[in-house]
Amino acid sequence: QVQLVESGGGVVQPGRSLRLSCAASGFTFSGYGMHWVRQAPGKGLEWVAVIWYDGSKKYYADSVKGRFTISRDDSRNTLYLQMNSLRAEDTAMYYCARNMATTYYSDYWGQGTLVTVSS
Amino acid sequence: EIVLTQSPATLSLSPGERGTLSCRASQSVSSYLAWYQQKPGQAPRLLIYDASNRATGIPARFSGSGSGTDFTLTISSLEPEDFAVYYCQQCNNWPLTFGGGTKVEIK
C-alpha cells in the first residue's frame, strides 16, 4: 500500500535552515508528482510546493518562494524540502502528499513532521 | 491568488442529520475543486475531486456539487466518524489554495 513517511523536523532558530525528507513506498514514485502542504498549530491547511513527476516543473506558494526548494531523488524514492531563512511563521506540521494522476489533487498523505522556528 | 471562503465555520449537528458545507471561490475554478476531511491528530483525507467525484473508498453518503465559484459538500446522514474538519481546495490556478475549513461538531 502507498506509504509516505516524513522526517527531518525539529526546533530551529530563525534565519537558519532545515531539510525535510519524505520516503515513499508502495507505488512507482518516479511516475507521480509530489506536494508539500503545511499546517500551523491550530490553523488550516496551506499548500507549499509541488514538483512534477520528472522534476521538470516546480511551483511554490508566495509565502515560501525564494526561501524553500522542493526536489526529488527517484533512486531513493524520496522527496525533499530545503527550507532556508526560516521565520517564526514557518512553524507548522509539514505533510508530503502524492499528486493524483492527471490532476493536481493530493490523494495520499504522510503523517507529517513538525517544524518549530524559535529562538 | 484565488481565495476560497468556507461557511459556516462551525456546523453543529446530531448523528443521522444531513450536513451541507459551502465553499465559495473569489473567481471561477471551473470544476477543479476538492474536499478533504481531517480528524484531530491525523493527516487530511481526500473525499471528493473535480467537484463531484468521490475518491477511492469514500462512502456514498458524501457528495459534492457545484462549478465556477460555488460548491457544496453534502453528508446525507452523519455517522459518528464524520465529525471532523472539512477543507476545500482549488486546483485550477497556481498557487493551489485551501479554504479556511468547516468544523462539523456533535450537537
Side-chain angles (χ1 to χ4, degrees):
Chain A
Q1 74 279 21
V2 173
Q3 267 202 310
L4 299 168
V5 180
E6 302 93 337
S7 61
V11 180
V12 61
Q13 292 179 327
R16 303 297 290 262
S17 299
L18 204 61
R19 188 178 80 158
L20 306 183
S21 300
C22 170
S25 60
F27 66 102
T28 304
F29 181 69
S30 59
Y32 288 83
M34 297 293 296
H35 298 266
W36 286 101
V37 176
R38 68 183 181 183
Q39 186 170 36
K43 302 297 185 182
L45 300 171
E46 180 186 15
W47 176 81
V48 173
V50 66
I51 185 168
W52 252 231
Y53 73 98
D54 59 358
S56 61
K57 289 186 180 179
K58 304 173 186 180
Y59 290 102
Y60 298 91
D62 289 345
S63 58
V64 307
K65 203 175 294 183
R67 299 188 300 124
F68 289 13
T69 302
I70 189 171
S71 63
R72 62 191 299 153
D73 184 343
D74 290 350
S75 68
R76 296 176 184 271
N77 287 346
T78 302
L79 174 73
Y80 300 102
L81 185 67
Q82 177 67 43
M83 304 186 296
N84 299 332
S85 303
L86 281 161
R87 306 167 180 167
E89 54 265 36
D90 295 319
T91 294
M93 182 72 77
Y94 283 75
Y95 296 100
C96 68
R98 191 180 80 167
N99 188 75
M100 188 172 162
T102 73
T103 73
Y104 301 121
Y105 308 113
S106 296
D107 61 353
Y108 287 92
W109 297 63
Q111 285 304 302
T113 187
L114 182 62
V115 173
T116 302
V117 183
S118 174
S119 53
Chain B
E1 91 177 28
I2 294 177
V3 176
L4 299 179
T5 302
Q6 292 188 240
S7 61
T10 303
L11 193 56
S12 298
L13 295 168
S14 300
E17 288 192 300
R18 182 184 188 89
T20 303
L21 289 66
S22 174
C23 176
R24 178 163 288 178
S26 58
Q27 64 188 78
S28 176
V29 298
S30 186
S31 294
Y32 297 115
L33 188 110
W35 291 93
Y36 298 85
Q37 176 194 67
Q38 188 179 32
K39 298 178 182 179
Q42 296 186 17
R45 177 174 71 144
L46 178 66
L47 296 177
I48 301 287
Y49 66 94
D50 286 348
S52 60
N53 295 312
R54 275 189 302 277
T56 303
I58 301 304
R61 63 181 181 273
F62 292 94
S63 64
S65 63
S67 66
T69 61
D70 289 293
F71 300 87
T72 300
L73 174 69
T74 301
I75 311 170
S76 60
S77 178
L78 278 158
E79 296 288 339
E81 61 267 28
D82 299 337
F83 291 92
V85 180
Y86 293 82
Y87 294 95
C88 57
Q89 181 197 32
Q90 68 82 20
C91 296
N92 189 60
N93 285 75
W94 302 103
L96 306 185
T97 49
F98 287 93
T102 291
K103 182 180 181 180
V104 178
E105 65 175 24
I106 299 176
K107 187 173 181 180

